[in-house]
Amino acid sequence: MKKTKWIWIWAAIGLVLGIIIFWPSNRGNKEAILEASAVEEVIDTTEQQQIHYKYGIPDENFIIEEGTVGKNENLSLILSKYKVSPAKIHEISQRCKDIFDVRSIRRGQNYTLFLAQDSLHTPEFFIYEKNALEYVVIDFKETADIYVGKKDITTKEKMANIIINSNLWNAMVDAQTDPMLAVTLSDIYAWSIDFYGIAKGDSVRVLYEQSYVEDKPLQDFNVKAAIFTNSGKDFYAIPFEQNEKLAYFDEDGNSLQKTFLKAPLKYSRISSGFSNNRFHPVLKRYRAHHGVDYAAPTGTEVHTIGDGVVVKKAYQANGGGNYVTIKHNSVYTTTYMHLSKFAKGIQPGKRVKQGDVIGYVGSTGLATGPHLDFRVYKNGTPINPLKMSSPPKEPISPENMPRFIQMRDSLVKLLKNNLNVLTHRQESSNQKS
């Protein structure tokens, strides 16, 4: 009897201890389950309330209208369609002065209006796209706020293997590669390859980066490495930073770019600069002056600023007088005008070296006094000689050579491996067809 009594007592104690031990644990699990459910509900609610932005503006509460600037359209004409008052347009124009010149709005550029969801569809924001990257925002609320925004940019690395049948531009198009890349390559190889003498069967392998805005490509190309095969010879282009300047070098570390002389003569002063609208001292009217005038005594020696071939030696009575034009490569050409006379032996077809005398300062043609009118053309377009970049032509220094070799070998291997992959794919495609 006593034994049975103790059994019941111990059973009761065990039941109480079980309740004490396990009750908090179950309670904790229940709270954890409730907390987890609450978190899931918060996450779901957040996902449902995601806001979409356009030009940095939440667009869910607006009516969006997009357009393109038409012929002879300006800001006033565009906004007047949306019943913006002339007073408000004038206020906006005044506030824009230090940020954006409203007169620079160009035909063909895109714009967007954010309209209120009211009966009048009142304009709240006007956005004008200056270019593919930048846009101007005009906030109509209260005092018109104007600011410039930028779209997000993504960069993509690409590889291209181009086989040339006619010219580089057409070859880029045939290979479904942006043909503007050809312009970048012509700048890099300007001193190494005559792009007017490219033969059928030449090729270029290039690794480059291109920027994208809203999945639309920008025409900016960062060439990371290239091999241009011209008449059976490989021309390498390896970018390397030396002395805080980035330049392109061949496989031996020699610069692909040669420097120009700072000026083609010893001059006393610059009497006139590069301008699109200069008052001509003889004609007494405004017209473009796409050169730099160096004042100097008659007879001062004029030197070619770089190696090249004389392509013109002529006289222009109503303009440059005696002048010489030199083609330096497939990109750069220079012209030297108002010469009193030409240097001995200067004729079309003659090769000249940097620093050679090609003529002498004079005042032939339309000129008020002795000076040299010096002009530089890049891809046929006049550029300001004083702003022309002239990178150093020093090779890779001995201390930088180990680092250059390591980079060169890595990039060349990448280019050649990619060529093998492309060739294999082409062979496989030919076999299937």
Side-chain angles (χ1 to χ4, degrees):
M1 184 68 182
K2 285 183 178 181
K3 187 176 180 181
T4 304
K5 181 179 178 181
W6 281 107
I7 290 173
W8 280 107
I9 290 170
W10 284 112
I13 292 170
L15 179 61
V16 172
L17 288 174
I19 291 171
I20 292 171
I21 293 170
F22 290 105
W23 172 253
S25 176
N26 291 337
R27 184 169 176 268
N29 287 341
K30 186 176 181 182
E31 287 178 353
I33 292 169
L34 289 174
E35 287 175 4
S37 300
V39 170
E40 287 175 5
E41 287 175 6
V42 170
I43 292 172
D44 290 342
T45 303
T46 304
E47 289 176 351
Q48 291 172 4
Q49 293 178 350
Q50 282 184 343
I51 299 172
H52 182 260
Y53 288 84
K54 190 177 181 69
Y55 301 108
I57 303 168
D59 61 5
E60 60 181 3
N61 296 323
F62 298 98
I63 299 168
I64 307 295
E65 289 198 11
E66 298 177 338
T68 303
V69 179
K71 184 179 180 180
N72 298 324
E73 267 195 329
N74 54 34
L75 182 65
S76 180
L77 287 174
I78 294 170
L79 295 183
S80 62
K81 297 177 188 176
Y82 296 89
K83 298 182 175 58
V84 179
S85 69
K88 189 69 172 178
I89 295 173
H90 176 72
E91 178 193 347
I92 290 167
S93 300
Q94 294 302 307
R95 287 181 174 273
C96 277
K97 280 184 177 179
D98 296 332
I99 301 170
F100 173 68
D101 186 353
V102 296
R103 294 172 299 178
S104 65
I105 286 179
R106 304 194 315 274
R107 177 184 180 183
Q109 293 300 106
N110 297 324
Y111 64 83
T112 302
L113 274 135
F114 287 69
L115 308 176
Q117 295 180 354
D118 55 20
S119 58
L120 298 176
H121 291 175
T122 306
E124 298 280 354
F125 296 94
F126 174 80
I127 290 86
Y128 170 74
E129 293 195 355
K130 293 175 63 179
N131 48 52
L133 179 60
E134 293 182 310
Y135 56 88
V136 178
V137 179
I138 299 175
D139 183 350
F140 291 104
K141 296 192 298 293
E142 297 178 3
T143 57
D145 184 25
I146 297 100
Y147 58 91
V148 177
K150 285 189 177 182
K151 298 179 182 179
D152 292 333
I153 299 177
T154 57
T155 303
K156 297 181 182 180
E157 188 175 87
K158 296 183 175 183
M159 187 87 75
N161 183 52
I162 310 296
I163 308 298
I164 301 168
N165 291 315
S166 56
N167 58 56
L168 185 56
W169 183 278
N170 291 338
M172 292 281 183
V173 174
D174 293 340
Q176 297 182 341
T177 301
D178 193 326
M180 288 303 293
L181 176 60
V183 177
T184 301
L185 288 171
S186 70
D187 283 344
I188 293 172
Y189 284 107
W191 298 99
S192 307
I193 296 171
D194 181 1
F195 282 85
Y196 294 102
I198 291 176
K200 183 177 180 179
D202 286 355
S203 63
V204 59
R205 283 154 277 163
V206 55
L207 173 66
Y208 65 99
E209 290 178 339
Q210 188 171 9
S211 298
Y212 283 75
V213 173
E214 296 176 342
D215 290 328
K216 295 178 182 178
L218 301 181
Q219 290 179 335
D220 64 332
F221 305 96
N222 173 27
V223 173
K224 301 181 74 174
I227 304 175
F228 203 117
T229 304
N230 178 232
S231 300
K233 182 180 178 182
D234 287 342
F235 294 85
Y236 291 76
I238 308 297
F240 190 82
E241 187 173 316
Q242 183 171 251
N243 299 326
E244 299 182 353
K245 290 184 179 180
L246 183 70
Y248 287 88
F249 298 85
D250 65 15
E251 70 275 27
D252 297 321
N254 298 310
S255 176
L256 296 188
Q257 298 166 302
K258 296 182 180 178
T259 186
F260 285 126
L261 296 177
K262 288 291 185 183
L265 77 169
K266 294 179 180 178
Y267 60 95
S268 55
R269 64 188 176 88
I270 293 176
S271 55
S272 185
F274 187 94
S275 172
N276 289 317
N277 192 26
R278 183 196 71 156
F279 185 76
H280 195 282
V282 176
L283 299 176
K284 304 299 181 184
R285 61 184 173 88
Y286 287 92
R287 70 173 188 174
H289 181 252
H290 290 155
V292 172
D293 288 349
Y294 293 97
T298 299
T300 301
E301 291 182 346
V302 176
H303 307 266
T304 173
I305 65 166
D307 298 358
V309 178
V310 176
V311 291
K312 282 185 182 180
K313 171 197 172 185
Y315 178 79
Q316 187 181 48
N318 297 318
N322 292 323
Y323 72 94
V324 174
T325 297
I326 296 173
K327 178 183 175 183
H328 299 283
N329 49 44
S330 56
V331 175
Y332 289 102
T333 302
T334 54
T335 297
Y336 311 77
M337 305 168 76
H338 303 304
L339 302 173
S340 60
K341 62 179 181 178
F342 303 104
K344 186 179 179 179
I346 292 297
Q347 295 293 338
K350 180 178 176 59
R351 288 196 167 273
V352 291
K353 291 289 186 181
Q354 183 182 75
D356 284 355
V357 177
I358 58 172
Y360 303 87
V361 170
S363 54
T364 56
L366 287 180
T368 57
H371 72 282
L372 174 72
D373 184 346
F374 174 59
R375 305 196 175 199
V376 178
Y377 299 85
K378 182 178 181 180
N379 294 317
T381 301
I383 64 172
N384 188 342
L386 300 179
K387 294 184 178 180
M388 179 176 60
S389 61
S390 185
K393 58 180 180 181
E394 288 81 10
I396 298 295
S397 62
E399 58 268 26
N400 285 329
M401 187 58 78
R403 190 162 55 92
F404 170 77
I405 291 174
Q406 185 180 14
M407 180 179 291
R408 177 202 65 190
D409 291 349
S410 174
L411 291 171
V412 170
K413 182 179 179 181
L414 190 61
L415 283 171
K416 291 189 173 181
N417 285 348
N418 179 261
L419 176 62
N420 293 333
V421 171
L422 288 171
T423 304
H424 177 72
R425 286 178 182 171
Q426 188 174 4
E427 290 174 352
S428 300
S429 177
N430 293 337
Q431 289 173 0
K432 288 179 181 179
S433 60

